[in-house]
Amino acid sequence: MSERSAAPPPLLAVADVRKEYDLGPDVPPLRVLKGVSLELAAGASLGILGPSGSGKSTLLNIIGTLDTPSAGRVLFEGRDVGEAGEDARAEFRNRAIGFVFQLHHLLPHLTCLENALVPTLGAGAVPRAAERARALLARVGLGDKLDRFPGELSGGERQRAAVVRALVNKPRLLLADEPTGALDRESAEDLSELLVELNRSEGTALLVVTHSEKLAARMGAVMELRDGTLAPWKARP
Amino acid sequence: MESPAMTLGRWVRRSLWHNRRAHAGVVAGVAVAGAILIGALAVGDSVRHSLAKLTEARLEGTHLVLAPAGRFFREDLAAELGAKARAAADSWLALPGSAARADGTARVNRVQLLGRRGEGEPPAGEARLNPALLRRLEAEDGAAIVVRGEKPSALQRDAPLARDERSTFGMRCLARGGGTEFSLASDQGARYNAELALGALQKAAELPGKANVLTLKRSMSVAEAGAALRAVWRLADAQLELRLLPERGAVELRSERIFLDAPVIAAARSAAPGAVGILTYLVNELRNGDRATPYSLVTAIGALGEGGGELLGGAIPADLRDDEIVLNAWLAEDLAAAEGAEIELAYFVMGPFKTVTERKARFRVRVTAPLEGAVRDATLMPPFPGMAEAENCKSWDAGLPIDTTRIRAKDEDYWKEHRGTPKAFVTLRAGERMWGNRFGSLTAIRYPGGAETAARVEARVLSGLDPESIGLVFEDVRARAEAGVAEAVDFGALFLGMSFFLLAAALLLVGLLFVLGIEGRAWEIGTLHALGVPRATVRRLYLAEGALLAAAGACLGPLGGIGYTQAVLWGLGHVWQGATGLAELELHIAPATAALGAAASVLMAFAALWAALRFQAWKSIRSLLAPAVRVRAPLGARRVPRLPSFFAGAAALVGAAALVLSAGAADERARAGVFFGAGALFLVSGIAFSSAVLRWCARPRGGARIGVAALALKNASRRRGRSLAAAGLLACGAFLVIAVGANRRDPFRNADSRGAGTGGFALFADATLPVLKDLNAEEGRRAYALEEDDMRGVRVVSFRVREGDDASCLNLARAQRPRLFGVAPEALAGRFTFAATEHGTAAPWSLLSEGGAEVPAIGDENTVTWSLGARVGATLPYVDERGREFKLRIVGTVARSVLQGGLVIAEDRFLERFPSESGYRLFLLDVEGGPARVEAVARKLTRAMEDIGLGVVSCAARLAAFNVVEHTYLSIFQALGGLGLVLGSAGMGIVVLRNVLERRGELALLRAVGVRERVITRVVLWEHLAIVVLGVATGVLAALPVVLPALLSPGADVPVLSTAATVALVGATAGLWTWGAAAWARRGVVTAGLRDE
């Protein structure tokens, strides 16, 4: 499935991905994903809706190489990311994708700017990354809070800082797992706006899994994960 | 603003500051580990330093020493030698003695009476006592004391014609402090010195101008010092004297020691032409048929060189045969013996214990010599100590049994008129055959001539005689002492070993605390992984953080180390004094030790952190990111059968049982290993069964009700690995505490068995001065005024003693030259239990009688193994009293015996090597009768032989003194191990915290559904107490097979109470930590958990 027009090869192609959990000899395995396929073009955005336990986060973790599928393949720019080793997968996560979690996971001992720069950790001084982090933080309204620690930021601000952190290495794909799930309504709307805007301005493809129909609706395409399979979303009247 | 680059350093800095509270525990843990490590090593440093200081104090800057046994040289030799060798040199007169308060309230044996010329010499009438003696006498400055000693005899006490009577002296003086610690004994035990004015001591001991110890205070070789000695020494230093006999036209070389040593004879026989050897001896009787002359001096005389001089002015025919005798006219008349008559000559020869045997020899009268001229020569009799000054024959004290009733008036008249003028003459060869002995075979050598000859003889003897050959041997005491200290018991390693549990517990705590901190930040790691930060970088971040924490802790380590060391040193100086025998231990930490300890603690802490972090790295990123407890079935609850644990347990149990059964065939040393191995297998088996029990607890059960205990047990089985680790630690601790405790032995149990460490002997006695007579014989007992009743049922085995380093466990320094005990091997037949022998034999003591160049020796197993670092079959270099090297070969070892501290060799081999060692100074006594009789004998002997400084203890008590050291080590091990276990049980608290933290959601749920806090606490408490009980019970049960044989063995003294108390303390501490952690978890964590959920 691709947004607007298909442009081979797609940035992301998920082909018949399945995920099962073995619960023991006498218990049938728990099938979370039962053959999920999707495609996402560069710069496109996709929202995936689904109830709790439908496997949304599992799918996102598999795409983000945080988890491995029981069957099926995940192709990024035509390459099977699942076949790569741990270091290559880390490199892939670091360079090609960005993660935004439901909880911001900002590191409490680092300032806002330092948190944004965590993906550059171990790469030494990267002046352009720092400029970019500053610029992005200014763009999300945190330009005057660069030296603040997470504990000194509001929930919305923390989540915005987390978004900047996800974008600092200019990823081609941004994966967001319930990004507004822990925010109040106003902050959630601000963040939704921000994600959409960054998708457009940065040209970063965006895949959001969420409960929020409102957030999903702002994406270029919306699908629904139900009973382990993916289907086009039909807005309720 | 800082550079925004996100570097490792920045991360670590920020993280350290942010998590400072959590890290404080880790730093403290590392500091404790560092303190233990540095402290243990510093104990070693301190003991070594204290030993070195003691050594320095007792050597007083001495490098080389000349201390010939039983010999005296000129006091001035030191100054002359010092000038020659360009070294500070001192002459000492050192005599064994005793000191007592003048009021008789305190008395100390084994006191070294010292006199030394110099600035520090006390004035006459004062005795400067060293602190130990002052303390023992409880004497204040100025208190009146009496020191007693024996007037040494130049003629060895057990030489023929040496007098029996001991001549002692007493000096009343005022006690002063500040006496020297000078001593040549290398052990660290208390030594008692009384320093007196040299002149006064010489006068009292009748040794004017004499000394017997010479110290050189410059580093030089023994050969260098020997060369200097050869350059300056005089005949008097070899106790030789040249006297002019103008009326005989001769020069005579003689010795204060009466008999001329063989090397002296060798050097002197060709010192001048015409040398004539003389050996004068007291014979019991000269008989011609029914006529007899009692107690007469007879001289053996003969030319020593080719074409020897005329014998007694020609009175003795040059061709006198060995079976011919020349009588003087007085004797010829008394015996009515004409030329050709057969004379029977009866004389005594000296055996062991100065036992005398009368022997007879027959001679034919060759000629009768008129009692005039050279024949009428009283100087032919050497100055026998009990005869030379005697007024009459009846007052002779010749050291031989003389029947004074046989002495006639005419004999007295002869003595009065002619003194020791010999009544008969035989050839030198005949004389040597009859009277030659280990002290020498001549009493004088005469050369024709005068002063010129004397000068020539002196020069020739001094140049031809090697001082070493007569015992004037220098020894590098400093090198020996330093080697002893360098190879001393390594208390650093010992305490490291004994602090093992403490150290392991501290490191365990470090790991647990670090993991606890990291687990609290697991999501951090997950986030970093999710953001694509390479795992290696993530690991580096946390390891760098850990390394800095370890370094911070290690910086504090030395401070804690000082405290730990001081605590241990206090213990060693007080409650554990048995381990070192040192009352004053000085804190000393070498910088290298502190650095090494700190570096090692950093490394070990770092390793613990690395292991903890590695465990985190195994976890999936998802689990790291999930903040709450994951819902999962406990591993093994359904899938894994519990049979493997059960079978593993059963297999270990069978193995352990097999080991126990095989123990009967193993020797004693192997048996300890077998039982320990069996115990370890029992431990493994117990832990495996515990695993099975936990699996069993986890199984699903029917029923509509769940109780606190059931829930707690189910919980304990959830993190089975963690629960088993905690239980295993406690089990190991309990096992060790019990197993170590079981190694204590009671020397009093079974002590009268001949195979015991006492050899079945009841009493052990050692004397300051040698005992010359056989205490088993009536004569010997009479010599010490011991009545027949006093000694009824008492049998004595006597040992000759060559002083050396104490090679018992009471001496911390490595014995370089152990004491030697000479004994008749048959006297010990069937005694003691042999741990090992060179050849299998039913009579191991007979191995001592084997011939060969190497001298066979048997020693206590501990002495040989630990104090000498040797084993059966090994050879040890030794030097005899003439400076000749020889080898001792260890042919056997006896187990745990009173013979600790030296090596036993055969008496005849002893005398070959140390002919000057007089008498016996060590005794083992069999006493028939019960303890009261044994005590009475001990009391009687101590009193009767007070003058020779006899100390008597029961053999069991002596064995106990050795056991004190071992027991003290065990106590230290138990104390430190117990402390480690207490610290380790704190780890139990951390395990509780970790469990609770992990499950805070569940606990919060319990509260949410209305379960009371008290009940929640009980669930947590029971769960962890179950682990404590499982651990302690496993340890105790596993230790039983180790304890049982020890309990049943002779002499076992298992301290049941203290062991049980230690185990109970460990259990209680673990319980307390558990309770505290559970209570804290209930209050803090559960509330937080509720919020999270």
Side-chain angles (χ1 to χ4, degrees):
Chain A
M1 183 91 195
S2 65
E3 191 196 4
R4 293 185 191 100
S5 59
L11 179 72
L12 174 70
V14 175
D16 196 24
V17 162
R18 292 161 194 274
K19 183 71 178 178
E20 294 177 1
Y21 290 103
D22 187 8
L23 295 181
D26 307 329
V27 184
L30 177 65
R31 295 193 172 88
V32 180
L33 301 177
K34 298 172 181 169
V36 173
S37 298
L38 67 84
E39 286 186 0
L40 189 64
S45 64
L46 171 65
I48 295 177
L49 284 165
S52 289
S54 61
K56 298 190 301 294
S57 293
T58 302
L59 177 61
L60 205 67
N61 285 342
I62 288 172
I63 293 170
T65 70
L66 297 182
D67 203 350
T68 51
S70 304
R73 295 197 304 164
V74 176
L75 302 171
F76 191 84
E77 295 175 333
R79 283 185 299 136
D80 189 343
V81 294
E83 286 179 357
E86 176 52 40
D87 286 347
R89 290 213 299 273
E91 171 82 11
F92 164 70
R93 284 199 297 277
N94 193 247
R95 295 284 160 199
I97 61 172
F99 258 109
V100 178
F101 306 102
Q102 181 177 5
L103 295 172
H104 55 82
H105 286 320
L106 290 180
L107 302 168
H109 53 285
L110 302 183
T111 63
C112 194
L113 178 59
E114 286 167 345
N115 261 297
L117 285 168
V118 162
T120 69
L121 196 68
V126 189
R128 287 165 78 185
E131 283 167 28
R132 180 173 164 75
R134 276 209 186 89
L136 282 171
L137 285 168
R139 223 163 109 188
V140 302
L142 295 172
D144 57 344
K145 294 179 177 173
L146 300 182
D147 291 336
R148 297 274 179 91
F149 287 98
E152 296 164 347
L153 300 175
S154 70
E157 286 171 333
R158 289 177 198 163
Q159 202 60 325
R160 275 184 273 153
V163 170
V164 171
R165 180 179 64 187
L167 292 172
V168 79
N169 274 344
K170 289 189 181 172
R172 270 109 64 211
L173 172 63
L174 183 63
L175 301 174
D177 186 1
E178 295 283 11
T180 59
L183 298 178
D184 58 39
R185 193 172 55 83
E186 195 177 336
S187 299
E189 278 180 10
D190 284 352
L191 191 76
S192 305
E193 183 61 36
L194 177 65
L195 287 173
V196 172
E197 188 202 326
L198 288 172
N199 168 237
R200 283 187 195 129
S201 60
E202 295 282 319
T204 306
L206 178 61
L207 199 162
V208 177
V209 298
T210 180
H211 281 108
S212 166
E213 291 183 4
K214 201 168 178 182
L215 171 60
R218 304 191 66 159
M219 302 297 116
V222 182
M223 301 191 82
E224 186 176 16
L225 189 62
R226 192 175 284 275
D227 296 330
T229 56
L230 205 55
W233 178 61
K234 287 172 190 161
R236 289 180 186 83
Chain B
M1 187 174 136
E2 280 183 85
S3 161
M6 196 58 226
T7 59
L8 255 79
R10 177 182 284 256
W11 167 286
V12 170
R13 233 174 23 249
R14 293 271 195 213
S15 182
L16 281 175
W17 178 248
H18 183 78
N19 297 299
R20 58 191 178 279
R21 285 204 186 106
H23 287 339
V26 177
V27 172
V30 179
V32 169
I36 293 163
L37 200 61
I38 294 170
L41 292 173
V43 169
D45 277 0
S46 301
V47 171
R48 212 173 296 121
H49 172 77
S50 302
L51 277 180
K53 222 175 138 187
L54 263 181
T55 300
E56 196 48 61
R58 75 175 177 80
L59 289 183
E60 288 198 343
T62 300
H63 282 263
L64 299 183
V65 72
L66 177 74
R71 286 179 179 270
F72 297 87
F73 45 80
R74 290 171 304 125
E75 174 198 334
D76 296 337
L77 180 64
E80 294 161 16
L81 188 70
K84 182 73 186 170
R86 292 191 303 282
D90 278 325
S91 276
W92 301 73
L93 181 59
L95 300 172
S98 63
R101 289 178 60 118
D103 58 12
T105 52
R107 179 191 167 95
V108 180
N109 285 333
R110 291 186 163 272
V111 174
Q112 189 176 219
L113 308 180
L114 291 167
R116 171 178 49 166
R117 190 79 71 209
E119 281 178 19
E121 190 180 357
E126 286 189 8
R128 201 168 290 148
L129 312 184
N130 72 331
L133 181 55
L134 210 57
R135 260 197 310 273
R136 275 289 300 275
L137 286 176
E138 295 174 2
E140 287 162 9
D141 194 64
I145 61 163
V146 177
V147 296
R148 286 194 179 83
E150 186 191 23
K151 291 176 187 169
S153 158
L155 177 60
Q156 297 303 97
R157 291 276 181 213
D158 46 0
L161 297 160
R163 59 209 273 187
D164 277 350
E165 282 293 302
R166 279 179 191 284
S167 182
T168 57
F169 65 87
M171 295 168 73
R172 193 183 168 92
C173 22
L174 300 179
R176 301 279 181 219
T180 177
E181 294 288 352
F182 179 77
S183 168
L184 297 175
S186 68
D187 63 288
Q188 77 284 1
R191 54 181 54 86
Y192 306 112
N193 283 346
E195 205 176 348
L196 303 150
L198 177 62
L201 184 60
Q202 286 170 332
K203 192 174 168 195
E206 293 177 3
L207 291 165
K210 295 282 187 180
N212 59 353
V213 176
L214 190 152
T215 56
L216 277 174
K217 296 181 178 174
R218 179 169 79 79
S219 176
M220 65 174 83
S221 70
V222 165
E224 209 181 329
L229 174 64
R230 266 191 292 276
V232 300
W233 79 323
R234 298 192 197 162
L235 289 179
D237 299 318
Q239 290 179 285
L240 295 173
E241 179 194 12
L242 271 173
R243 61 172 176 170
L244 295 173
L245 301 169
E247 67 276 23
R248 307 279 165 239
V251 174
E252 185 182 77
L253 178 72
R254 62 177 189 169
S255 171
E256 291 170 15
R257 299 163 64 82
I258 308 300
F259 293 100
L260 295 174
D261 298 291
V264 172
I265 297 170
R269 63 189 312 139
S270 54
V276 170
I278 292 165
L279 171 60
T280 301
Y281 202 81
L282 178 71
V283 300
N284 304 343
E285 185 185 80
L286 290 139
R287 176 174 288 275
N288 178 28
D290 56 356
R291 296 180 73 104
T293 306
Y295 306 117
S296 307
L297 286 149
V298 175
T299 290
I301 189 164
L304 290 177
E306 289 293 315
E310 203 175 49
L311 300 176
L312 301 184
I316 309 297
D319 61 346
L320 186 71
R321 285 168 34 168
D322 293 345
D323 59 352
E324 292 177 332
I325 192 166
V326 175
L327 309 182
N328 72 8
W330 186 93
L331 180 64
E333 185 192 330
D334 191 35
L335 293 177
E339 285 175 15
E342 195 167 83
I343 301 293
E344 188 181 73
L345 195 150
Y347 57 95
F348 282 132
V349 291
M350 198 69 80
F353 300 106
K354 292 201 78 174
T355 50
V356 287
T357 315
E358 191 175 70
R359 297 226 176 116
K360 289 179 178 167
R362 302 184 85 81
F363 295 89
R364 188 165 299 282
V365 177
R366 169 78 177 268
V367 68
T368 298
L371 186 53
E372 58 186 31
V375 174
R376 190 180 173 178
D377 184 358
T379 61
L380 285 168
M381 185 191 88
F384 290 122
M387 293 175 68
E389 307 296 325
E391 285 289 312
N392 50 52
C393 299
K394 289 187 175 161
S395 62
W396 284 350
D397 176 13
L400 299 170
I402 290 178
D403 180 0
T404 50
T405 59
R406 294 187 59 203
I407 297 172
R408 305 159 300 174
K410 63 194 302 191
D411 298 322
E412 290 287 11
D413 291 343
Y414 184 91
W415 178 255
K416 211 170 192 175
E417 193 176 346
H418 305 292
R419 304 293 294 174
T421 301
K423 293 175 185 163
F425 303 88
V426 294
T427 64
L428 200 51
R429 200 159 28 195
E432 282 175 358
R433 209 162 43 217
M434 290 186 289
W435 313 315
N437 57 75
R438 65 186 161 100
F439 302 97
S441 56
L442 293 181
T443 51
I445 298 176
R446 285 188 181 180
Y447 309 86
E452 204 177 305
T453 306
R456 182 177 170 191
V457 168
E458 177 166 16
R460 294 288 292 272
V461 169
L462 287 177
S463 63
L465 179 62
D466 181 359
E468 288 195 356
S469 69
I470 53 164
L472 295 176
V473 188
F474 275 97
E475 190 191 4
D476 193 339
V477 279
R478 176 161 298 267
R480 183 173 133 200
E482 284 173 355
V485 172
E487 295 169 27
V489 175
D490 188 349
F491 268 73
L494 199 67
F495 267 80
L496 262 190
M498 293 199 284
S499 306
F500 173 75
F501 255 88
L502 199 54
L503 193 62
L507 288 174
L508 182 88
L509 268 185
V510 168
L512 283 173
L513 285 166
F514 190 66
V515 166
L516 195 67
I518 293 288
E519 279 190 346
R521 295 157 65 195
W523 62 270
E524 266 183 35
I525 301 174
T527 303
L528 291 172
H529 286 326
L531 293 175
V533 176
R535 273 179 189 267
T537 305
V538 174
R539 195 176 298 135
R540 269 206 301 277
L541 285 176
Y542 287 90
L543 281 180
E545 202 172 321
L548 284 173
L549 291 177
C555 288
L556 297 173
L559 291 177
I562 291 173
Y564 177 88
T565 310
Q566 272 183 325
V568 171
L569 292 185
W570 184 89
L572 287 173
H574 295 82
V575 285
W576 298 327
Q577 204 183 330
T580 62
L582 288 167
E584 286 168 29
L585 281 160
E586 200 170 293
L587 177 71
H588 178 83
I589 303 181
T593 300
L596 181 75
S601 59
V602 168
L603 279 178
M604 286 194 299
F606 188 71
L609 302 182
W610 178 82
L613 203 60
R614 199 174 160 75
F615 181 70
Q616 287 295 320
W618 291 341
K619 295 187 176 177
S620 72
I621 298 169
R622 286 188 312 106
S623 68
L624 290 169
L625 276 172
V629 176
R630 300 185 60 75
V631 178
R632 72 171 193 185
L635 198 64
R638 290 180 187 280
R639 284 181 297 162
V640 187
R642 20 177 213 279
L643 287 177
S645 301
F646 182 79
F647 282 130
L653 195 63
V654 169
L659 272 180
V660 169
L661 290 176
S662 73
D667 64 31
E668 191 169 356
R669 188 182 268 195
R671 202 173 297 148
V674 166
F675 278 118
F676 229 82
L681 276 179
F682 275 121
L683 203 58
V684 170
S685 156
I687 291 171
F689 281 127
S690 300
S691 173
V693 168
L694 287 176
R695 280 177 197 280
W696 179 78
C697 290
R699 83 195 196 288
R701 281 182 239 209
R705 182 172 174 278
I706 182 158
V708 169
L711 183 61
L713 283 175
K714 270 184 177 291
N715 281 343
S717 66
R718 287 173 68 176
R719 289 280 195 178
R720 204 159 36 87
R722 193 182 289 171
S723 300
L724 284 177
L729 181 77
L730 289 170
C732 287
F735 172 78
L736 274 182
V737 165
I738 296 172
V740 167
N743 274 305
R744 286 172 189 266
R745 277 168 189 280
D746 176 7
F748 294 94
R749 195 178 289 187
N750 222 11
D752 52 357
S753 150
R754 289 189 153 218
T758 57
F761 292 104
L763 294 172
F764 177 97
D766 62 342
T768 309
L769 304 174
V771 171
L772 305 170
K773 298 285 177 112
D774 183 4
L775 295 172
N776 292 321
E778 193 191 335
E779 187 201 347
R781 293 172 180 186
R782 215 174 36 231
Y784 295 100
L786 290 163
E787 301 293 331
E788 200 52 44
D789 278 352
D790 297 332
M791 297 294 278
R792 182 160 294 127
V794 177
R795 291 292 304 168
V796 184
V797 175
S798 307
F799 295 75
R800 292 179 185 272
V801 177
R802 173 68 175 179
E803 280 306 338
D805 298 338
D806 177 12
S808 76
C809 56
L810 303 175
N811 184 8
L812 296 182
R814 165 66 61 88
Q816 303 293 310
R817 194 167 296 163
R819 297 173 86 193
L820 287 186
F821 307 132
V823 70
E826 59 278 9
L828 293 177
R831 305 282 191 165
F832 303 99
T833 298
F834 273 75
T837 52
E838 199 173 37
H839 321 295
T841 167
W845 286 106
S846 66
L847 292 172
L848 290 181
S849 305
E850 283 185 355
E854 293 168 347
V855 177
I858 288 173
D860 180 85
E861 191 183 16
N862 283 339
T863 296
V864 171
T865 309
W866 306 114
S867 298
L868 301 175
R871 62 193 156 73
V872 170
T875 55
L876 302 172
Y878 215 91
V879 178
D880 72 9
E881 71 172 38
R882 290 183 177 160
R884 294 173 302 191
E885 279 208 0
F886 68 99
K887 289 208 164 89
L888 293 167
R889 194 177 80 252
I890 311 289
V891 294
T893 52
V894 291
R896 289 170 178 274
S897 72
V898 289
L899 298 175
Q900 259 203 60
L903 292 175
V904 180
I905 63 174
E907 185 174 9
D908 52 350
R909 304 301 293 269
F910 183 99
L911 288 174
E912 274 173 23
R913 296 292 169 179
F914 309 102
S916 301
E917 291 288 358
S918 298
Y920 300 82
R921 291 201 287 123
L922 196 149
F923 310 90
L924 292 172
L925 292 89
D926 271 328
V927 180
E928 281 173 18
R933 168 76 182 140
V934 169
E935 205 175 306
V937 170
R939 221 173 20 242
K940 182 72 196 172
L941 281 172
T942 308
R943 205 167 40 243
M945 299 171 83
E946 190 179 30
D947 281 351
I948 60 156
L950 188 83
V952 185
V953 290
S954 82
C955 280
R958 180 171 164 83
L959 212 49
F962 293 131
N963 283 353
V964 161
V965 177
E966 198 175 306
H967 285 184
T968 307
Y969 287 150
L970 294 178
S971 297
I972 297 172
F973 184 84
Q974 277 192 312
L976 294 179
L979 205 58
L981 281 171
V982 169
L983 205 58
S985 63
M988 190 68 216
I990 292 171
V991 167
V992 181
L993 274 181
R994 283 179 64 185
N995 286 345
V996 170
L997 274 173
E998 274 183 6
R999 280 185 244 143
R1000 59 185 177 178
E1002 290 171 28
L1003 298 174
L1005 179 80
L1006 288 175
R1007 275 199 69 192
V1009 298
V1011 179
R1012 280 169 298 172
E1013 278 186 7
R1014 197 156 39 88
V1015 176
I1016 295 174
T1017 308
R1018 270 171 52 202
V1019 170
V1020 175
L1021 199 58
W1022 285 125
E1023 169 188 346
H1024 296 97
L1025 283 181
I1027 297 173
V1028 173
V1029 170
L1030 205 59
V1032 173
T1034 301
V1036 171
L1037 288 173
L1040 279 181
V1042 179
V1043 178
L1044 276 179
L1047 269 175
L1048 301 175
S1049 77
D1053 180 29
V1054 179
V1056 178
L1057 269 181
S1058 71
T1059 305
T1062 311
V1063 173
L1065 179 71
V1066 169
T1069 317
L1072 199 67
W1073 280 106
T1074 306
W1075 177 81
W1080 182 81
R1082 186 192 65 188
R1083 287 192 190 125
V1085 182
V1086 176
T1087 320
L1090 272 172
R1091 272 203 304 275
D1092 285 353
E1093 294 303 304

